[in-house]
Amino acid sequence: MTADRPDRAGFALAGVVLALALLLALAFMAAAAARRQVANAGVALDVLAAEAAAAGAVEHALRHLEGPSSVPVGGVRSAFEGVLGGRVWQVQTHRLTREYHVLLGYGSLAGAPARSRHARLVWWLDPVVRVGEFGAVLESGGGVIPEDAVAPVADALGPGDTHPGCESEEGLADAVGSPLAGSGPLAAPAEWVGEGGRGSSPRLGHLGREALVLLADRHVADAATLAACSTCWEGVVVAADGTTIHGSGAGVLVALGSATLAPEGRWDGLVLVAGDLTLGAGARMVGLARVRGTTTIGTDASVVGSVCAAYRSLRAATSLHRPLRIPDASLLGPLPPVPG
Amino acid sequence: MVAGERHGFALVEMVVTTALLLLVVQASWWVVASQARAAAYVVEAGRAAEARHVTRHLIGSELAFDGGQGAVTVESGEVRLRGFRGIVAFCAGSGAEWWVNVSGLREAVQERDSVLVHDGRLGWLAAALVRRGGGGSGPCPDLLGFQEERWELDRDLEAPVAGRFFERAGYRFSAGAFRTLVGSAWHPVTEASLDDGASSVSPAGGGAVRVSVSWDGPSPLDEPVSWTAWRGR
């Protein structure tokens, strides 16, 4: 009896081993297929997460970059970097021209020494370029403008009225023509005011009517009385159509329609008017002005050319100093990952 | 007596064991056959899904970054467009010759690629790439993934800042596959298992393209699958 047991046990054992081997083979096949699928899905997820990190880096920069651009023209500077979920992200600012920049976002891949990229073309207002666009102290779409009311400026960067000179400001001498004419037609293409293929009026580079309203530091309407000193810059002041400004103001005045500077009133800085501009008797405007409609200048009223006042009013308008996506096609395109 | 009992018992054991083994084999056979059917289904579904995925990815990505208004045409079952291939940042130069930093899905090809340039004064302008040369010692800054080149375009530019370059691309369903135009030949980008009659590209208005993909023969997936690919960014 004891001698028979090994034969019987061996037969059963062989069957069990065979069955186990079959089941194990099936299990291994299933496990291997599952592992391959998980690995493939992991790579795809890694790439997607890195691309999202790169795009997020650019969005982060768009939300948090403020103030004038500090990157030299042609230069590259790291703006932000961080770690999100163990994934390193970084964004660089590449300044192409004084106003155009490329924001380059990078997101590292977890499973490979490579980085996904994201690139956006952005526009970043530069006061030097904006005042350099002026061909005259007062650019107007029409109206009779007495020569003695808007005098040309011999030294465009020299001191004028209560404003000191700005010759030492970097790039300004190259951008601004000197002498500057007193009055002239609207610049072509009508980049600041007018349709000009770039949308709404008034306009400040790529900042259109809606953007200027959103970024305004102050809104005025009807009969507004201001009391600012000539260098107490108030940022961007948006005036509704038909506004009459009494007293004195300083800053970037954006009139959404027609505007009037009341008799003996004063404005220092940059003035953009979408409609007509009327200067009451004895009113004084110091800086640069662009008027889409006609300009009417009252008795003893004047426009005193001052590039420096316009420049400083733009410098002080901090809400305008941030990178903005250019319209139509800010996203430059899908870029392949790079080693690094 | 004992031995006889043992033999009889062994016979019964053998019959039972054989029956059980047959049951196990039958069950295993059923499992293996089911798995084979499932595997075949998964493979077939994977092939069909891959064809859909490739078609969707190509049309979607090409339309998302096409070369602007009027660049997409759909005629006779073919979609023609300017396919995005890379970006360019202008560094210095004048007229038609510029130092540029280039990065993209492939290198630019002179006399074949067109360029959509954003000019700071004039907006977006189209130009053709006439000639490109190597850089390396020019004024462009080092940017990760970019290489410096010297480009000559077919027009003068005033203040170019950046742009994208494109090639003329075409896609259609023919001979059982989704195909792309390479030179004058239509090369397949999916396997030739699609139903030409039911797979198609057609205009959907607003520059969008309607795409339908159908598997040739009994399909493991819901057929046909259709979607609209939209232009824009």
Side-chain angles (χ1 to χ4, degrees):
Chain A
M1 187 174 159
T2 51
D4 292 340
R5 277 194 186 279
D7 291 342
R8 282 156 51 192
F11 181 75
L13 186 63
V16 169
V17 167
L18 193 66
L20 274 178
L22 187 66
L23 289 172
L24 273 175
L26 287 171
F28 274 120
M29 284 170 61
R35 281 184 61 183
R36 277 198 304 274
Q37 288 174 359
V38 168
N40 289 341
V43 170
L45 181 64
D46 191 18
V47 171
L48 276 177
E51 286 176 352
V58 171
E59 293 302 315
H60 180 87
L62 281 167
R63 287 178 183 275
H64 292 93
L65 282 173
E66 288 181 337
S69 174
S70 59
V71 185
V73 175
V76 184
R77 187 167 292 169
S78 180
F80 298 101
E81 58 185 31
V83 179
L84 182 64
R87 195 178 297 278
V88 178
W89 61 266
Q90 182 192 27
V91 59
Q92 290 182 333
T93 307
H94 174 26
R95 192 171 190 175
L96 300 165
T97 64
R98 289 199 71 98
E99 289 193 318
Y100 285 96
H101 298 63
V102 172
L103 295 181
L104 288 162
Y106 299 94
S108 68
L109 276 80
R115 291 198 272 177
S116 283
R117 296 180 294 161
H118 191 84
R120 270 196 188 277
L121 180 62
V122 297
W123 180 86
W124 201 335
L125 181 141
D126 186 335
V128 170
V129 178
R130 292 300 107 207
V131 297
E133 292 286 336
F134 272 83
V137 172
L138 171 62
E139 294 183 350
S140 179
V144 179
I145 300 167
E147 281 188 17
D148 59 342
V150 189
V153 181
D155 180 8
L157 303 184
D161 202 83
T162 59
H163 299 278
C166 50
E167 305 89 340
S168 59
E169 296 291 343
E170 185 259 327
L172 208 50
D174 296 329
V176 177
S178 190
L180 194 61
S183 61
L186 290 171
E191 191 169 313
W192 290 45
V193 175
E195 304 307 323
R198 284 197 177 185
S200 64
S201 166
R203 173 159 294 279
L204 188 58
H206 279 290
L207 292 169
R209 182 190 187 97
E210 289 183 5
L212 289 168
V213 169
L214 282 172
L215 297 171
D217 296 285
R218 184 172 183 178
H219 294 265
V220 294
D222 303 323
T225 302
L226 306 177
C229 74
S230 63
T231 55
C232 301
W233 310 116
E234 295 188 85
V236 179
V237 179
V238 170
D241 185 22
T243 299
T244 298
I245 295 175
H246 299 267
S248 58
V252 178
L253 175 62
V254 177
L256 302 179
S258 295
T260 300
L261 190 57
E264 303 302 326
R266 177 178 174 124
W267 188 272
D268 289 76
L270 182 69
V271 176
L272 303 172
V273 182
D276 300 330
L277 174 66
T278 302
L279 298 186
R284 189 174 180 84
M285 195 169 271
V286 182
L288 299 172
R290 188 167 277 169
V291 181
R292 184 185 184 192
T294 59
T295 304
T296 305
I297 297 182
T299 310
D300 294 330
S302 62
V303 178
V304 179
S306 174
V307 171
C308 301
Y311 171 78
R312 291 194 177 104
S313 69
L314 275 171
R315 281 290 299 262
T318 53
S319 63
L320 305 179
H321 296 285
R322 63 186 68 231
L324 299 168
R325 297 175 180 86
I326 64 162
D328 304 332
S330 170
L331 180 59
L332 283 174
L335 294 174
V338 288
Chain B
M1 188 173 94
V2 173
E5 284 173 2
R6 279 180 185 168
H7 285 153
F9 186 63
L11 183 62
V12 171
E13 275 185 320
M14 191 182 75
V15 169
V16 170
T17 304
T18 304
L20 286 173
L21 188 62
L22 282 173
L23 279 174
V24 168
V25 168
Q26 189 181 24
S28 301
W29 185 265
W30 180 81
V31 168
V32 169
S34 298
Q35 193 198 32
R37 278 196 303 275
Y41 172 84
V42 168
V43 168
E44 193 79 349
R47 290 166 61 205
E50 179 72 8
R52 289 181 184 184
H53 173 72
V54 168
T55 307
R56 191 166 198 143
H57 173 75
L58 279 173
I59 290 284
S61 58
E62 292 282 47
L63 275 179
F65 293 95
D66 72 271
Q69 289 288 340
V72 181
T73 59
V74 185
E75 288 179 4
S76 307
E78 294 179 10
V79 55
R80 301 285 186 117
L81 46 81
R82 294 192 190 282
F84 170 85
R85 297 298 176 260
I87 73 171
V88 54
F90 289 78
C91 305
S94 61
E97 295 190 20
W98 294 84
W99 288 96
V100 293
N101 255 333
V102 186
S103 181
L105 308 175
R106 63 155 172 75
E107 289 189 342
V109 180
Q110 61 194 36
E111 295 177 348
R112 190 173 98 188
D113 287 352
S114 58
V115 191
L116 195 59
V117 182
H118 186 77
D119 185 286
R121 291 187 167 278
L122 305 173
W124 290 99
L125 304 169
L129 177 59
V130 176
R131 188 164 30 248
R132 60 179 277 262
S137 57
C140 294
D142 286 335
L143 286 177
L144 184 63
F146 285 77
Q147 66 177 34
E148 186 184 65
E149 295 183 358
R150 190 163 173 77
W151 279 17
E152 182 184 340
L153 304 172
D154 69 339
R155 63 180 294 174
D156 290 350
L157 300 171
E158 283 186 43
V161 289
R164 302 190 290 257
F165 60 93
F166 302 86
E167 72 173 319
R168 202 70 181 147
Y171 295 94
R172 73 178 188 188
F173 291 97
S174 63
F178 185 59
R179 293 169 186 271
T180 183
L181 186 62
V182 179
S184 59
W186 291 92
H187 288 204
V189 291
T190 64
E191 61 177 290
S193 301
L194 303 179
D195 181 356
D196 283 343
S199 301
S200 64
V201 288
S202 56
V209 176
R210 185 81 183 155
V211 185
S212 294
V213 180
S214 184
W215 197 245
D216 192 17
S219 170
L221 304 175
D222 292 337
E223 292 284 354
V225 62
S226 299
W227 70 91
T228 301
W230 296 92
R231 299 179 58 230
R233 282 157 273 281

